[in-house]
Amino acid sequence: MTVRFASYRIAFYVAVFLLSGTVLGLAAHFANIFLPHLHADFTIFALIIPSLTIFALLLSLQFSQPRTEAPMYFVIWALWHSDIISFVQCDTLTTETMPTKNGSIRQRDYCYEMKVIEAFSWMIFVLFSFAFCILLSLVSQAQRFGRPHIWWEPIQELGWFHEMPGYYNQPHQGMYATYPQQYGYQGYPMSQGYMQGAQPLYQIQQGMNGTTVTQVPVVNV
């Protein structure tokens, strides 16, 4: 993968790990004071979703392809979409209390913790929304650049926007890298109408300001 794609993907994973860990910690606090008989549905749900998210991302760090990562993003995105307390104004709860398995707590404290869980859940939901759209865009770009089977290749083969795919475990030598000549426009194999010795359709140049992709004309016979 390109350096920028690798950096952004790791940053996305770290952000989700931190947010999920915070939600998991608050849910563990609720489990300690409520379970097994009070508020079991929400508490168990709040424990499972961040745990599942962290586990799925750890697996994805070890092995992933676009065809496995895209469904994973979509499923986790759907699980984090919840809203059960946004209509409640915590400031209006002053002296009210609610029972726990060992006593009681103030409803305002419970409300504030629920608000934090909801806020972090929405942040994770938004992150996965962007990640899913970006992944589909990068896969589409890789197919246009001549990788029609990118869905089945390691996700490390993806490039960032306007960067060629296929840098995985390959040193960046020289100023130019060429587009594979066995593929034509939109990733289709080149027909006999193209000269086999012609210049590649795309050429990228790496410089101080990033990588640029330039289309090079192909000589027809």
Side-chain angles (χ1 to χ4, degrees), residues 118-212:
E118 183 182 68
F120 280 33
S121 299
W122 274 104
M123 291 174 66
I124 296 173
F125 173 81
V126 171
L127 285 176
F128 274 100
S129 299
F130 281 109
F132 182 75
C133 294
I134 290 173
L135 178 62
L136 294 184
S137 298
L138 295 181
V139 169
S140 177
Q141 173 185 263
Q143 290 177 328
R144 292 196 305 270
F145 283 175
R147 303 296 285 271
H149 305 296
I150 192 65
W151 283 106
W152 291 267
E153 298 183 29
I155 200 167
Q156 291 89 341
E157 295 288 338
L158 284 176
W160 192 244
F161 290 103
H162 307 297
E163 294 181 345
M164 298 291 289
Y167 286 154
Y168 181 53
N169 284 338
Q170 296 181 11
H172 294 239
Q173 298 178 355
M175 291 295 296
Y176 296 94
T178 57
Y179 176 92
Q181 295 188 13
Q182 67 269 29
Y183 293 104
Y185 182 68
Q186 300 290 346
Y188 294 104
M190 293 179 65
S191 63
Q192 295 182 358
Y194 291 103
M195 181 182 296
Q196 295 297 323
Q199 296 179 357
L201 287 178
Y202 290 91
Q203 181 173 266
I204 68 170
Q205 182 177 4
Q206 298 178 359
M208 295 295 294
N209 297 324
T211 304
T212 59

Side-chain angles (χ1 to χ4, degrees), residues 84-103:
I84 62 174
I85 199 172
S86 62
F87 60 91
V88 179
Q89 296 294 327
C90 298
D91 294 338
T92 63
L93 305 174
T94 55
T95 60
E96 295 87 349
T97 61
M98 57 189 306
T100 66
K101 65 179 181 181
N102 294 320

Side-chain angles (χ1 to χ4, degrees), residues 27 30-31 35-36 38-51:
F30 286 158
L35 293 182
L38 299 173
H39 306 285
D41 293 340
F42 172 78
T43 303
I44 293 175
F45 183 80
L47 288 171
I48 291 177
I49 301 307
S51 301

